[in-house]
Amino acid sequence: MNLYPDMTLIEIVILWLMRVGAAMTGTVAFSVLFRAPKRDWLACGAAGSIGWIVYCILTDFGMGVVMPNFFATATLTIFSWWMAFRRRTPVTVYLVPGIFPLVPGAGIYYTAYYFVMSQSARGAAKAVETMEVAGAITVGIIMGQAIVSAWLRSTGKKRGIAPLK
Amino acid sequence: MSLSIPFSENMQNAAPEHVGVMQLSSLMGELLLKNGGEIYRVQDTLNRVIDACGFPNHSVYVISNGIFITINEGMPDACSSVHHVPLGSVNLSRIAEINQISRDICAGRLDRDSAYQKLIACKEPPAEQRLLMTLACAFGSAGFSVLFGGSLLDGAAAFVVGLFLQTLLYFLQKHNVSRFPVNIVAAFAVTLASWFITRLPMKFTFNLVVIGTIIPLVPGYALTTAIRDFFNGDYLSGLIHLLDALILAFCIAVGVGVGIRLLRFLGGGFLR
């Protein structure tokens, strides 16, 4: 199945390089803004990129906006916990910068934009979509954490890691 | 009953050790909460640390801007503290440092006095690093502008506006403007600045430049923390953070909206 019928291979490679590069740059920049430890900058970038890659693949398959956000957030949450256990760092360090590509900043903008341009119907639709995306992110984080804590309950005890609440 | 014991005797019973643990744990909780730790982390850390110091009879309650600790409840030497913690700015490396200190205390690698000294050192405000922060804001804006579908040219424009945004934020911070007006003013200024930049005779997309540069203002941190608080059953703190996120998002929308309105009024049909 060809997802990009109108594009040559080189164009597809460039598209993905731009996507991953942008996600990496943006997330690393945010980990700096939130003063994450220096050794975790790249890992934060990786968390953001993984979330964005999952999101892009699923939107390319035509899954709309809400489901990709859900799966991307869940993947990103699991990755963040994995990094947190490996490096013995609080999971917040990876989760907060990593989630920024998915947070509906564009949704907030377009909502305001359409309302100001007197296109209330489109504005309302955007507002609802923004809420839906926020909801998908919520459920994504919750599912991710649930999977991690189930995994911990089965393997964590052996390694002396306390399970999540 | 503690009421039947005379005051002086009560004071004698209050071992300094136990007050020391109280000071240590409340400072630790304050620092964690102020630098953006989620409620469950603060509560769990304090419970572990007080346990490790040898006081199993204790109770810790944390909400997003306060910490309540009681040690030896119901005993003659009961001791409790109520601590108000105003919301601070997020500092992830502080959270990681304090996490490490609490691990060391629990593993018995660190005694209480040196732990306290380390915490005092953590209390110092972090190095300013203005240049780094400004560059980070600019690169972040550029990255997100491209991420949402902008060209590299849009990214470059967002980079410049991002530099402007962080400078503006430092200026507003210097004049002690509170959080909500800061977001309105910054979103408004960013909209105007993006418009000026996109007047250059090149192929910019105004919307994507603005979106990239408002991302540093978007309350992603508050949203994430709110969700994780809900997950852990801390509904009150979760609601506080969620409300914070919603109000901040609303402020950004107002700032952008007013900016676009103004441009539309002045420029007439500036948007394609």
Side-chain angles (χ1 to χ4, degrees):
Chain A
M1 177 179 165
N2 190 359
L3 280 179
Y4 313 100
D6 312 328
M7 295 170 77
T8 62
L9 186 64
I10 296 171
E11 281 175 334
I12 296 172
V13 170
I14 290 177
L15 173 74
W16 276 96
L17 279 181
M18 289 263 283
R19 282 174 172 178
V20 177
M24 197 69 170
T25 317
T27 323
V28 170
F30 271 84
S31 62
V32 178
L33 275 180
F34 284 131
R35 296 172 185 276
K38 220 174 234 171
R39 63 170 197 144
D40 293 319
W41 286 357
L42 268 184
C44 294
S49 311
I50 285 177
W52 190 245
I53 289 171
V54 171
Y55 175 84
C56 286
I57 291 177
L58 294 182
T59 37
D60 286 348
F61 271 108
M63 281 180 88
V65 185
V66 177
M67 287 307 274
N69 267 297
F70 165 74
F71 283 113
T73 320
T75 317
L76 156 79
T77 309
I78 294 170
F79 175 79
S80 302
W81 275 104
W82 182 68
M83 281 311 292
F85 286 125
R86 277 191 54 150
R87 296 203 174 172
R88 302 200 165 251
T89 311
V91 67
T92 328
V93 173
Y94 309 105
L95 198 54
V96 169
I99 213 143
F100 259 88
L102 302 169
V103 164
I108 298 176
Y109 172 77
Y110 281 117
T111 306
Y113 177 81
Y114 286 133
F115 273 115
V116 169
M117 301 300 273
S118 317
Q119 300 180 358
S120 309
R122 290 178 79 178
K126 263 293 168 196
V128 171
E129 190 191 288
T130 308
M131 294 286 179
E132 281 175 352
V133 169
I137 291 176
T138 309
V139 183
I141 292 182
I142 289 175
M143 283 307 288
Q145 292 210 2
I147 292 171
V148 171
S149 58
W151 173 75
L152 274 186
R153 236 170 262 135
S154 59
T155 65
K157 269 180 198 152
K158 281 179 236 156
R159 300 212 261 144
I161 302 170
L164 301 174
K165 213 196 299 184
Chain B
M1 284 296 289
S2 55
L3 277 179
S4 63
I5 293 169
F7 182 66
S8 56
E9 197 185 330
N10 197 356
M11 286 306 282
Q12 270 174 359
N13 283 349
E17 192 192 1
H18 135 226
V19 178
V21 172
M22 179 70 86
Q23 274 177 344
L24 176 74
S25 53
S26 72
L27 178 61
M28 189 176 252
E30 180 194 334
L31 289 175
L32 268 180
L33 205 53
K34 203 182 229 164
N35 289 312
E38 68 276 20
I39 305 303
Y40 174 65
R41 175 176 308 285
V42 182
Q43 202 148 350
D44 189 51
T45 307
L46 294 192
N47 278 327
R48 280 164 196 250
V49 166
I50 300 174
D51 263 341
C53 291
F55 292 95
N57 179 11
H58 64 263
S59 168
V60 176
Y61 179 62
V62 182
I63 58 170
S64 59
N65 52 2
I67 302 173
F68 309 83
I69 307 171
T70 301
I71 298 181
N72 286 351
E73 163 105 62
M75 282 155 61
D77 57 350
C79 159
S80 54
S81 93
V82 177
H83 216 92
H84 172 240
V85 185
L87 290 174
S89 59
V90 181
N91 185 334
L92 295 174
S93 42
R94 280 286 147 78
I95 300 181
E97 275 169 45
I98 298 166
N99 194 51
Q100 191 55 46
I101 294 176
S102 90
R103 269 177 202 279
D104 287 348
I105 294 176
C106 292
R109 284 189 295 260
L110 194 64
D111 67 88
R112 232 175 292 151
D113 288 336
S114 36
Y116 196 74
Q117 294 308 318
K118 279 194 170 185
L119 285 179
I120 293 284
C122 280
K123 211 178 175 185
E124 293 292 310
E128 274 278 7
Q129 298 177 302
R130 288 200 172 198
L131 184 65
L132 181 68
M133 290 296 146
T134 312
L135 280 179
C137 184
F139 272 110
S141 308
F144 280 102
S145 179
V146 176
L147 189 83
F148 288 116
S151 61
L152 287 179
L153 192 62
D154 295 327
F159 185 88
V160 178
V161 185
L163 290 175
F164 165 72
L165 170 65
Q166 189 66 26
T167 317
L168 178 73
L169 288 178
Y170 275 130
F171 175 78
L172 293 174
Q173 189 189 330
K174 203 176 92 187
H175 292 274
N176 284 327
V177 185
S178 72
R179 261 154 34 95
F180 298 131
V182 162
N183 273 275
I184 298 180
V185 171
F188 175 73
V190 157
T191 313
L192 292 193
S194 305
W195 184 74
F196 280 117
I197 280 217
T198 48
R199 289 307 89 196
L200 291 175
M202 277 176 270
K203 206 165 170 294
F204 290 109
T205 318
F206 171 77
N207 287 349
L208 291 170
V209 178
V210 182
I211 291 173
T213 15
I214 57 171
I215 294 286
L217 301 170
V218 166
Y221 171 76
L223 182 68
T224 318
T225 314
I227 297 165
R228 303 192 54 216
D229 287 344
F230 282 131
F231 178 78
N232 293 317
D234 299 313
Y235 297 113
L236 182 60
S237 303
L239 268 182
I240 295 174
H241 282 133
L242 189 65
L243 204 57
D244 195 47
L246 283 178
I247 295 176
L248 286 179
F250 180 72
C251 287
I252 296 172
V254 168
V256 171
V258 172
I260 293 178
R261 238 304 127 82
L262 183 72
L263 289 175
R264 219 181 147 198
F265 177 70
L266 293 178
F270 77 102
L271 293 163
R272 290 156 287 276

